[in-house]
Amino acid sequence: MDDVAALGGLGGADGLEAVLDGLGVAGRARQLGDQDADAAVAQIKPLGADLVYFGGMAAEGSLIIKQIRRDGMIALFMSGDGLFDAKDYIEASGGAAEGTYITYAKTPQGA
């Protein structure tokens, strides 16, 4: 899943998709700045995904993880540092972000 409007989101999702395609893993949904993630999650849920990778930013990521959890999906959720934002991702998700895996290229200040 990627947010094609997000700077850097598409590149991360494209790279992961290339690796996964080589392994025979299917599925990609695009989140195009919608205010909800119903359509994207509806594409992913029937696949029974073990992991959803999102390439995008925090505000959109919080919408997606909330919808994933609301729909009863237990898939792991992973993203790049676009979700590394306490207010726009962690707080905005209302607890749905718990357990999210976020890759980050450097140690955050204060860590």
Side-chain angles (χ1 to χ4, degrees):
M1 170 180 291
D2 66 85
D3 180 354
V4 296
L7 180 63
L10 186 57
D14 281 344
L16 180 62
E17 182 181 34
V19 171
L20 295 178
D21 281 348
L23 298 172
V25 177
R28 183 175 203 177
R30 292 187 181 265
Q31 182 69 16
L32 300 172
D34 293 339
Q35 293 303 306
D36 65 59
D38 291 342
V41 174
Q43 285 181 301
I44 297 166
K45 188 174 181 179
L47 299 173
D50 294 318
L51 177 124
V52 173
Y53 179 86
F54 173 70
M57 302 306 288
E60 293 77 16
S62 69
L63 293 172
I64 292 165
I65 192 62
K66 286 191 294 187
Q67 186 64 44
I68 284 172
R69 298 300 179 238
R70 218 179 335 214
D71 280 9
M73 291 178 61
I74 58 171
L76 297 174
F77 193 68
M78 182 177 188
S79 185
D81 59 6
L83 296 193
F84 192 78
D85 186 300
K87 181 179 179 235
D88 289 341
Y89 182 65
I90 297 171
E91 293 173 19
S93 75
E98 181 72 29
T100 297
Y101 290 90
I102 298 176
T103 59
Y104 196 80
K106 65 178 184 172
T107 303
Q109 290 183 349

